[in-house]
């Protein structure tokens, strides 16, 4: 077993530099712990050091009352705003599920605005990028949108000034940064039925 102790100091911990930019001392310690764990598993012959390799059986725990058993099929679809479009967390979740032994089937759909990875894969790379860079993780990530952009079938209930009434609140029908029409983008609305 590996143990990690991080002590807090009165002043902020200095940032360490990695090949992908500055990282906190805690992030560096966790990365080091992961590297030690992977090296130990690889050295023991339990698992290859390949970041795409499934975790060894000894690293997994089975819960008898789990809804999806180990090796079962998991499907998910990410719907969100900028974080779904520009961050790698959906891809990291996809890779983690596969490493845990789950079968993932995430087919692309015909939903307007769908992407299968972070925009242009031009986001900063994490140290574990090799585990998810080649995966196709469909998502709907609409920059500047709010939840109402995904919650209606149409904008037919919007008034002449571009607002709809939701529980006595006037809410803009324009999806985009600051609810500005000029920043709406190519997809004005994704119907709930999509």
């Amino acid at each position: 077993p590996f143990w990690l102790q991080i002590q807090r100091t009165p002043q902020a911990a200095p940032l360490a530099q990695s090949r992908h930019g500055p990282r906190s001392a805690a992030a560096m310690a966790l990365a080091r712990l992961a590297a030690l764990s992977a090296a130990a598993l690889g050295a023991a012959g339990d698992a290859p050091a390949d970041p795409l390799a499934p975790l060894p059986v000894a690293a997994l725990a089975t819960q008898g009352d789990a809804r999806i058993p180990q090796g079962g099929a998991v499907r998910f679809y990410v719907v969100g705003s900028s974080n779904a479009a520009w961050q790698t967390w959906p891809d990291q979740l996809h890779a983690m599920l596969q490493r845990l032994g789950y079968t993932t089937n995430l087919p692309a759909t015909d939903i307007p605005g769908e992407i299968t990875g972070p925009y242009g894969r031009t986001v900063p790379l994490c140290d574990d990028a090799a585990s998810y860079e080649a995966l196709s993780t469909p998502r709907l990530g609409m920059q500047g949108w709010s939840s109402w952009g995904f919650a209606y079938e149409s904008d037919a209930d919007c008034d002449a000034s571009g607002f709809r009434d939701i529980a006595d609140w006037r809410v803009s029908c324009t999806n985009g940064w600051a609810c500005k029409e000029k920043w709406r983008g190519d997809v004005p609305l994704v119907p709930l039925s999509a």
Side-chain angles (χ1 to χ4, degrees):
F2 292 92
W3 297 93
L4 174 67
Q5 181 178 10
I6 301 173
Q7 296 180 341
R8 300 190 90 181
T9 58
Q11 60 272 64
L15 294 178
Q17 190 69 26
S18 79
R19 64 188 174 117
H20 305 296
R23 292 173 44 174
S24 69
M28 294 294 283
L30 290 173
R32 178 71 180 134
L33 175 66
L36 287 171
S37 298
L41 288 172
D46 295 330
D50 178 3
L52 301 173
L55 293 172
V57 174
L60 303 174
T62 301
Q63 292 179 301
D65 59 348
R67 292 188 116 188
I68 303 172
Q70 182 180 353
V74 175
R75 291 177 45 155
F76 68 93
Y77 191 85
V78 176
V79 175
S81 59
S82 300
N83 75 64
W86 286 101
Q87 295 181 5
T88 59
W89 66 264
D91 309 284
Q92 291 171 316
L93 173 62
H94 189 177
M96 184 185 313
L97 288 168
Q98 286 187 337
R99 290 199 69 210
L100 287 170
Y102 292 100
T103 302
T104 56
N105 180 10
L106 309 176
T109 69
D110 293 329
I111 296 174
E114 180 179 79
I115 57 176
T116 58
Y119 275 120
R121 302 267 184 199
T122 58
V123 297
L125 293 177
C126 298
D127 288 340
D128 64 347
S131 69
Y132 59 81
E133 275 292 294
L135 294 175
S136 175
T137 309
R139 73 204 63 199
L140 189 59
M142 305 304 280
Q143 301 175 58
W145 280 35
S146 294
S147 58
W148 66 84
F150 311 104
Y152 293 91
E153 284 299 317
S154 73
D155 56 5
D157 63 335
C158 297
D159 63 24
S161 59
F163 288 83
R164 68 169 41 103
D165 182 66
I166 302 175
D168 294 326
W169 288 88
R170 285 178 43 85
V171 177
S172 175
C173 294
T174 303
N175 293 306
W177 298 113
C179 299
K180 301 284 187 202
E181 188 67 36
K182 68 179 181 179
W183 294 326
R184 191 170 221 186
D186 296 336
V187 181
L189 177 84
V190 176
L192 184 62
S193 61

